[in-house]
Amino acid sequence: MKRKRARVRKPPSTNPPPIHPLQLAESSGWHDGYRAGSEHGYHHGRCAVVLERIPPDQGVKWGLRVLYVQPKEALPYVPIDLGIIDALRGLVAELVVCKPTDDVVGLAASIRPDVVLVLDSIHSLPIEKARAIRELGIRTAVWFTDDPYYTDVTQHIAPCYDYVFTTELTCVAFYRDLGCREVHYLPFGINRAATKPVRVGTPYRSDICFIGTAYWNRVELIDRIADYLAGKNTIIIGYWWDRLKNYEKLKDKIKLGQWMSPEETLNYFSGAKIVINLHRLHDDPTFNQNSRNIPAVSVNPRMFEIGGSGAFQLTDMRGDLYNVYTPGVDLAVYHSPEDLIGKLEHYLTHEEERRAMALNALARTVRDHTYRSRLNQLFGIVASPQTVGG
């Protein structure tokens, strides 16, 4: 009887079968996309933990009847306007919202509010209406949106109000010198219900993101770092970016002339590894009515929006920055185009450091920089003790 010869198994080949170049590219792209999506989801989960640990600020319930006048020009101020309205609804006993084109004086005479609050974007409410409301014995307050860039206009508006609130620290002395007795620095903030980290798809994801109008100092900076940005997954969105000398080099990364809704802006911030913030210069000639050249030292509203999105922020320096965030802890600061390139490269390759700072900024923003907290400060100044509710 013949024995069966044992079948000898060949060891597996160490050389994989050949792969078509197209298959290889698809496989590599799939893995890159999967890794990017996993990283995005991981950071979003950590942001959710931060938000869970910091409950929404309930604030003081003010026993006030408030008449709020929206800005004349809606589009640029939508997130500010909606954030203020949402916060007011939870803070005051009664809220009436109107537009500058409404019969604001008649409405004020009818409902007799404790205070009329005007969000002013280059003279929203005509001066004669503001004066007429004061003559009714009703307290009036204005919150200027664009100081110091339109102070040639606001200098005529501020004296018509009992209380003046400005987003620029250097304008406090300016308005007081005009004879305004109650002038206070009050920056904008975020609406926590609307400005928060969101999970987004690939079209919104980037290494580096900048959203804003191409003022000349911004154009100069982006031109100086154009070669670096061209080699990264960069997104630039806003008006007038065709001013760039290196526009052709970057045009496939630029969404030109697009006005971004708050929701779309939040999507791009949430999807970016790094968001650049570059403040407008006080003497930029583009739509500037600041003939006194009042300097700008306060941070822009975008700083809080970036912080509230859970994104990591690289910003230029403003003198008031240390009063709202801590550089090196909540965000990073650059001082020149060369310094910006170095820090972009550093934070793109040091993910944990970048994410930790973004989480710190998120926590600081929802704790300290919401419209609820800002309006609590405002009513603490405007309201008399008799109007404070339980």
Side-chain angles (χ1 to χ4, degrees):
M1 183 176 177
K2 292 184 178 179
R3 291 184 178 180
K4 291 184 178 180
R5 183 178 295 178
R7 182 178 296 174
V8 178
R9 295 181 179 272
K10 293 182 179 180
S13 173
T14 57
N15 298 317
I19 300 177
H20 191 278
L22 182 59
Q23 290 178 306
L24 184 62
E26 289 176 348
S27 174
S28 175
W30 184 89
H31 283 291
D32 289 345
Y34 179 81
R35 184 174 62 254
S38 297
E39 291 172 355
H40 177 65
Y42 172 65
H43 181 67
H44 184 268
R46 294 176 70 182
C47 288
V49 172
V50 169
L51 296 178
E52 287 173 2
R53 290 175 177 172
I54 305 176
D57 174 29
Q58 298 303 315
V60 178
K61 185 69 174 183
W62 299 88
L64 295 169
R65 181 184 294 114
V66 176
L67 175 58
Y68 171 69
V69 184
Q70 296 178 283
K72 180 173 63 177
E73 299 177 13
L75 282 183
Y77 308 101
V78 168
I80 299 169
D81 183 39
L82 296 181
I84 290 173
I85 292 173
D86 188 63
L88 284 170
R89 287 190 177 123
L91 286 175
V92 300
E94 184 179 341
L95 173 66
V96 177
V97 178
C98 67
K99 299 182 182 300
T101 52
D102 295 335
D103 181 9
V104 182
V105 179
L107 191 57
S110 173
I111 68 175
R112 300 298 302 183
D114 296 296
V115 61
V116 174
L117 173 62
V118 178
L119 183 64
D120 198 290
S121 58
I122 320 173
H123 202 177
S124 290
L125 188 67
I127 289 176
E128 59 271 16
K129 290 188 178 183
R131 287 173 175 160
I133 294 171
R134 288 183 76 182
E135 290 173 0
L136 293 172
I138 297 171
R139 280 171 292 182
T140 58
V142 62
W143 199 352
F144 288 125
T145 59
D146 292 288
D147 283 339
Y149 308 106
Y150 297 102
T151 45
D152 292 349
V153 178
T154 59
Q155 65 176 327
H156 304 296
I157 302 169
C160 301
Y161 288 86
D162 297 305
Y163 298 88
V164 175
F165 295 91
T166 174
T167 56
E168 174 50 57
L169 194 59
T170 60
C171 283
V172 172
F174 169 68
Y175 291 125
R176 286 179 179 166
D177 288 343
L178 295 175
C180 302
R181 296 177 58 187
E182 290 282 351
V183 185
H184 304 272
Y185 168 56
L186 191 67
F188 291 133
I190 66 158
N191 175 7
R192 182 167 174 175
T195 303
K196 56 187 176 182
V198 293
R199 294 198 68 167
V200 296
T202 303
Y204 292 105
R205 294 182 199 156
S206 64
D207 292 334
I208 301 164
C209 175
F210 180 86
I211 298 177
T213 300
Y215 294 113
W216 286 111
N217 64 312
R218 293 172 175 174
V219 170
E220 181 182 0
L221 177 77
I222 297 301
D223 264 327
R224 293 275 295 276
I225 65 172
D227 288 336
Y228 180 82
L229 294 179
K232 300 295 181 183
N233 178 13
T234 302
I235 295 177
I236 299 172
I237 306 172
Y239 292 98
W240 308 330
W241 285 105
D242 49 353
R243 292 175 167 185
L244 288 167
K245 295 177 182 177
N246 287 301
Y247 177 72
E248 289 298 319
K249 187 177 295 185
L250 295 174
K251 69 178 181 179
D252 63 328
K253 301 177 182 295
I254 296 173
K255 298 181 183 296
L256 184 64
Q258 292 191 18
W259 179 82
M260 301 296 297
S261 69
E263 295 78 14
E264 283 287 276
T265 300
L266 183 63
N267 286 342
Y268 280 106
F269 285 167
S270 293
K273 292 181 179 179
I274 297 177
V275 179
I276 297 174
N277 190 3
L278 176 56
H279 290 79
R280 176 183 177 182
L281 292 181
H282 71 280
D283 56 355
D284 186 290
T286 312
F287 293 110
N288 195 350
Q289 298 183 54
N290 179 20
S291 62
R292 287 175 172 79
N293 278 328
I294 299 171
V297 301
S298 297
V299 301
N300 56 20
R302 184 129 293 172
M303 179 164 287
F304 303 116
E305 295 169 10
I306 298 169
S309 74
F312 172 77
Q313 181 171 185
L314 251 176
T315 181
D316 60 334
M317 176 55 74
R318 278 284 175 102
D320 196 41
L321 175 59
Y322 282 92
N323 290 324
V324 292
Y325 291 107
T326 303
V329 176
D330 305 316
L331 43 68
V333 176
Y334 62 90
H335 302 281
S336 68
E338 295 73 24
D339 185 40
L340 176 55
I341 290 174
K343 286 177 177 172
L344 285 168
E345 191 64 23
H346 173 84
Y347 288 109
L348 284 174
T349 55
H350 291 75
E351 291 186 5
E352 273 308 307
E353 185 179 358
R354 184 184 74 235
R355 288 174 178 160
M357 293 170 72
L359 294 172
N360 289 340
L362 175 62
R364 180 93 179 255
T365 304
V366 299
R367 187 178 61 243
D368 299 338
H369 303 310
T370 65
Y371 281 110
R372 291 184 69 92
S373 64
R374 302 292 192 241
L375 287 165
N376 269 319
Q377 295 176 54
L378 186 149
F379 290 134
I381 295 166
V382 171
S384 65
Q386 290 79 12
T387 59
V388 179

